[in-house]
């Protein structure tokens, strides 16, 4: 089984949220999100992005309680080596690109779901659920 | 020849091989095509050459069922018909629309798209369109911007052309007047079709507003009065056939369809600076073209989905570039401004002026924004809305019936009961979801669906397209007319217009109406020759 630290998951999730489609999405999800973001994430990117990730994650969890759990994530990462690589990647842009590719691959294979009306990839759903 | 029925003597009988009732897009096209083939025809128009309240009042009726529609104002009862109102968006129906589709109950025309192609080609010029070119590749190099790199096994571009829009009254009045083989009478309202012993129509009773009645004797008759009126007339003709002419199987008026006009779902672009020019209206050398997004036919078939074309409406950061203010007053204003800029006096000048005067707010906003647009860049795209005229499945409970009220000719008025089913909207939702999947895969952005399950109907409006009430089917128990548009149970009565469509597809109907009218004219002209 692939071992993946929680920190790496969170790195991944923030990366994912920053490639999630832009402004409207963030505006929607950041509306009621508290801005008390730990320093750790502040250094990783836009705090509103992280807020959005959490909000999406909560919705995902409501519909799919097993999403984002460590067992599920370990399996999920096992099937998506690109995500493991992305989590190791220190350059934010490269990481974003890798995540983008993984999301695109999910979509291309029909691995997507509807969360609060948004059509998102399974990767996005899993990583958001992980930070929720 | 063009004449006012009021100038004829009461009791006159006129004769011609063919009598066409209704001078709208279908009727005028047929008359001109028959003239070209050298076949004489009488063309009857209930209204006058201009709008009149007296004629228009005959279209009044009741609306039950879906609230966001109308029965009276969305049709025009005058020479030229509803082409006095239309906005001119055109595309042929897709090949899949003619098929018997698993997921679409009551689908399946008795003709194919390929059989209609030669008539579509001829229909283009009646609507002042460009070449019969509706494949995206036909427009390669001619359009600005580039198509999104979407998986072409899922989503493909859909090409639409824009008519000026052709006003049949202005454009064809002279040709109708000048054609020696056409006798066009206006203020000539069809009141009854009399049947002989053999079950064929022997004569038409036609009345003017002052109560004058004349008769037309023809070998063949064509009803071309629009999608609601074709059914209303047949149902009213119940003196010899109790349930109305052609209604032996209780089908006349049923299967009424409209396009579900709605702006639902949106796309949040990954790159707000991304260029979406390809999906915005284009001016080309020949005709304005607009590209939408469609699921491929294979995918529609596999998923059992109804047809739909999504047009992309971007919302720009700078409000001045957004067109959300557009309403009837703005449309009237822009049509007038366009006509003046070309040095013409606009058609329906007073009607349009009154529409603007009634609600000038949108015109002020529109003018202000259009001026600001010249100085202000649009900025980024904040979101892209999905606008469409989506297909609904044929539904026998969606129908035009008669009510107890009478019009000035003593004919019962129509009730429109437009019914949509949840499945129609769930199909649209799934279509958007699949587009969401394709744009996600291409990294274009993420789609947010505008329809829940169960879906709400309140965002669905009429497309002003009245379809299906005398549907075409080989089996008389499933359709009112056969593949030649002839009423199954009447050997010399034909129907023209969107009432004969078996399914609505998603394309706006008028190009198909005109193509079918040309096809019917060819058929009648050919039959006529056979008879000699
Ligand atoms: C606002 C609006 C926008 C539209 N935009 C588009 C568009 O973009 N693209 C598109 O494809 N379509 C559009 N349409 C629809 C288009 O206008 C119709 O499809 C088209 O006009 C139908 O043609 P028709 O000949 O079947 O009927 P009509 O044009 O309605 O003609 C019927 C004729 O029959 C006459 N008549 C009726 N009863 C009698 C009688 N008893 N005796 C004698 N004559 C009679 C009427 O006076 C009329 O002249 C639009 C419609 C509206 C209202």
């Amino acid at each position: 089984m692939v071992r993946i630290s929680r920190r790496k998951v969170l790195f991944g999730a923030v990366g994912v949220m920053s490639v999630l489609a832009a402004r409207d999405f963030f505006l929607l999800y950041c509306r009621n999100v508290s801005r008390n973001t730990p320093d750790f994430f502040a250094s990783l990117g836009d705090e509103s992005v992280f807020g959005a990730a959490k909000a999406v994650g909560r919705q995902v969890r409501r519909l799919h309680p097993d999403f984002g759990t460590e067992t599920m994530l370990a399996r999920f990462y096992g099937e998506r080596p690109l995500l493991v690589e992305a989590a190791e990647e220190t350059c934010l842009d490269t990481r974003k690109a890798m995540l983008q590719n993984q999301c695109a691959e999910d979509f291309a294979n029909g691995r997507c779901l509807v969360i609060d009306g948004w059509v998102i990839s399974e990767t996005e759903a899993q990583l958001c659920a992980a930070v929720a | 020849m063009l004449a006012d029925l009021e100038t004829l003597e009461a009791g006159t009988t006129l004769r011609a091989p063919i009598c066409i009732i209704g001078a709208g897009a279908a009727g005028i096209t047929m008359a001109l095509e028959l003239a070209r083939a050298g076949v004489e025809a009488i063309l009857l128009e209930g209204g006058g050459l201009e709008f009149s309240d007296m004629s228009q009042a005959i279209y009044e009726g009741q609306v039950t069922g879906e609230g966001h529609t109308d029965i009276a104002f969305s049709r025009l009862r005058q020479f030229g018909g509803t082409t006095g109102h239309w906005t001119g968006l055109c595309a042929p129906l897709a090949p899949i629309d003619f098929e018997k589709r698993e997921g679409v109950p009551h689908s399946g025309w008795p003709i194919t798209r390929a059989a209609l192609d030669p008539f579509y080609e001829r229909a283009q010029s009646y609507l002042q369109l460009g070449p019969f070119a509706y494949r995206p590749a036909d427009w390669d190099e001619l359009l600005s911007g580039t198509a999104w790199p979407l998986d072409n096994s899922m989503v493909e571009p859909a090409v639409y052309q824009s008519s000026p829009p052709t006003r049949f009254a202005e454009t064809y009045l002279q040709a109708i007047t000048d054609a020696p083989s056409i006798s066009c009478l206006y203020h000539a309202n069809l009141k009854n079709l009399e049947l002989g012993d053999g079950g064929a129509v022997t004569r038409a009773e036609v009345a003017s507003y002052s109560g004058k009645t004349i008769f037309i004797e023809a070998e063949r008759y064509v009803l071309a009065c629009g999608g609601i009126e074709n059914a209303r007339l047949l149902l009213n003709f119940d003196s010899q056939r109790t349930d109305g002419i052609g209604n032996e199987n209780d089908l006349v008026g049923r299967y009424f369809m409209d396009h579900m006009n709605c702006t639902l779902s949106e796309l949040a672009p990954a790159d707000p600076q991304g260029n979406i020019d390809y999906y915005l209206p284009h001016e080309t050398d020949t005709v304005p073209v607009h590209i939408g997004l469609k699921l491929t036919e294979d995918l529609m078939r596999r998923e059992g989905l109804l047809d739909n074309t999504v047009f992309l409406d971007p919302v720009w950061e700078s409000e001045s570039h957004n067109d959300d203010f557009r309403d009837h007053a703005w449309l009237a204003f822009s049509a007038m401004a366009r006509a003046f800029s070309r040095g013409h006096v606009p058609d329906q000048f007073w009607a349009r002026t009154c529409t603007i005067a009634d609600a000038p707010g949108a015109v002020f906003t529109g003018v202000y924004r259009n001026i600001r647009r010249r100085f202000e860049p649009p900025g980024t795209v904040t979101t892209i809305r999905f606008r469409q005229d989506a297909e609904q499945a044929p539904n026998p409970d969606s129908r035009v019936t008669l009510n107890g009220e009478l019009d000035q000719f003593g004919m019962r008025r129509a009730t429109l009961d437009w019914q949509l089913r949840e499945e129609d909207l769930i199909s649209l939702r799934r279509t958007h979801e699949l587009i969401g999947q394709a744009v996600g895969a291409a990294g274009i952005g993420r789609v947010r669906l505008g329809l829940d399950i169960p879906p709400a109907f309140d965002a669905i409006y009429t497309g002003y397209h009245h379809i299906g009430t005398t549907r075409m089917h080989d089996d008389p128990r499933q359709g009112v007319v056969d593949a030649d548009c002839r009423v199954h149970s009447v050997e010399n009565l034909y129907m023209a217009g969107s009432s004969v469509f078996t399914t609505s597809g998603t394309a706006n109907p008028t190009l198909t109406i005109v193509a079918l009218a040309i096809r019917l004219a060819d058929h009648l002209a050919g039959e006529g020759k056979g008879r000699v």
Side-chain angles (χ1 to χ4, degrees), chain B residues 168-339:
Chain B
F168 273 58
E170 281 174 30
T171 314
Y172 298 114
L173 180 64
Q174 201 57 50
I176 293 280
T177 311
D178 293 346
S181 59
I182 301 175
S183 306
C184 178
L185 294 178
Y186 55 94
H187 296 146
N189 298 279
L190 177 69
K191 263 191 81 175
N192 198 17
L193 292 176
E194 294 175 16
L195 301 174
D197 292 341
V201 178
T202 48
R203 67 174 188 173
E205 183 186 338
V206 181
S208 75
Y209 296 95
S210 68
K212 204 173 264 183
T213 297
I214 66 157
F215 300 94
I216 311 289
E217 289 182 358
E219 288 161 24
R220 275 143 322 147
Y221 298 80
V222 182
L223 271 190
C225 294
I228 294 176
E229 212 60 6
N230 276 353
R232 179 174 95 97
L233 291 170
L234 289 181
L235 292 171
N236 261 288
F237 300 153
D238 58 358
S239 56
Q240 291 169 281
R241 295 208 182 161
T242 347
D243 297 319
I245 290 182
N247 197 27
E248 293 73 15
N249 292 303
D250 187 22
L251 291 172
V252 173
R254 289 192 185 269
Y255 297 97
F256 173 85
M257 288 167 278
D258 197 336
H259 285 126
M260 301 189 291
N261 178 264
C262 51
T263 301
L264 285 172
S265 302
E266 60 189 308
L267 190 163
D271 175 7
Q273 321 264 12
N275 184 325
I276 58 162
D277 285 357
Y278 185 72
Y279 299 101
L280 302 180
H282 301 265
E283 289 298 332
T284 73
D285 285 348
T286 48
V287 66
V289 167
H290 198 166
I291 305 288
L293 289 177
K294 260 185 101 132
L295 298 185
T296 59
E297 298 206 345
D298 276 350
L299 186 52
M300 276 191 258
R301 250 179 237 116
R302 234 178 14 250
E303 294 259 348
L305 295 174
L306 293 157
D307 201 352
N308 185 42
T309 300
V310 166
F311 288 104
L312 302 180
D313 275 352
V315 178
W316 300 98
E317 191 180 19
S318 149
E319 192 194 44
S320 63
H321 287 262
N322 294 326
D323 287 337
D324 50 354
F325 58 87
R326 281 159 164 261
D327 64 3
H328 283 297
W330 173 259
L331 289 180
F333 173 79
S334 53
M336 287 173 72
R338 259 199 320 271

Side-chain angles (χ1 to χ4, degrees), chain B residues 21-27 44-47 59 74 76-83 85-89 188-190 224-226 229 233 464-465 497-498 508-511 513:
Chain B
I21 300 113
L44 302 176
E45 170 50 46
Y59 273 166
S74 56
L76 262 184
R77 204 173 182 284
Q78 65 187 84
F79 185 85
T82 311
T83 66
H85 268 337
W86 81 313
T87 40
L89 198 60
N189 298 279
L190 177 69
C225 294
E229 212 60 6
L233 291 170
Y464 301 117
H465 306 149
S498 44
N508 306 53
T510 308
L511 181 64
I513 291 175

